[in-house]
């Protein structure tokens, strides 16, 4: 990553070409990924209450990491607007997560 001046401080700059495959990859597989997490977690815990709690925490962590990822893209990738149509919005992820847990 190159350095770009920002008010006298150096801030890393990330090229869209480096980030686009990550954004497109996530956009193309996130629903299947959540479904697979659900299958794996619920299949590993016979106690439904424990399984749901672990699923809830796992999906919450996924949402936190993705939110952080989007924030970093917007902050360090000056041309990130060109990828905005490929970025999954947070409400869509929350809606999908709610399908898998009654406690969200």
């Amino acid at each position: 990553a190159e350095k770009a001046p920002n008010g006298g401080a150096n801030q890393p700059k990330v090229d869209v070409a480096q980030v686009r495959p990550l954004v497109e990859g996530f956009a193309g597989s996130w629903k299947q990924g959540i479904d697979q997490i659900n299958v794996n977690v619920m299949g590993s815990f016979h106690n439904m209450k424990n399984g749901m709690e672990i699923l809830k925490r796992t999906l919450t962590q996924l949402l936190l990491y993705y939110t952080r990822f989007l924030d970093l893209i917007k902050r360090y990738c000056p041309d990130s607007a060109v990828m905005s149509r490929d970025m999954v919005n947070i409400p869509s992820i929350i809606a999908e997560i709610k399908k898998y847990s009654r406690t969200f």
Side-chain angles (χ1 to χ4, degrees):
E2 299 173 18
K3 297 281 184 182
N6 184 12
N10 284 335
Q11 217 175 33
K13 179 183 170 192
V14 179
D15 185 25
V16 171
Q18 295 174 309
V19 178
R20 185 180 298 273
L22 297 172
V23 171
E24 291 173 347
F26 185 84
S29 65
W30 69 276
K31 284 185 181 183
Q32 298 85 358
I34 289 175
D35 185 55
Q36 192 59 49
I37 290 169
N38 177 61
V39 168
N40 289 338
V41 169
M42 298 312 289
S44 297
F45 296 92
H46 300 294
N47 181 319
M48 183 74 151
K49 184 178 177 183
N50 289 344
M52 290 301 284
E53 183 62 27
I54 291 168
L55 180 63
K56 175 183 172 184
R57 289 176 185 229
T58 302
L59 295 178
T60 298
Q61 195 63 48
L62 171 69
L63 183 61
L64 290 172
Y65 281 135
Y66 185 67
T67 301
R68 191 176 306 159
F69 174 66
L70 291 181
D71 290 343
L72 289 170
I73 289 173
K74 290 173 186 170
R75 184 173 180 184
Y76 296 114
C77 190
D79 300 325
S80 64
V82 300
M83 293 183 296
S84 62
R85 65 179 170 85
D86 296 322
M87 294 178 188
V88 179
N89 65 45
I90 301 301
S92 295
I93 296 174
I94 292 171
E96 190 69 19
I97 288 172
K98 284 182 178 181
K99 292 178 184 178
Y100 291 94
S101 176
R102 295 179 291 274
T103 61
F104 270 38

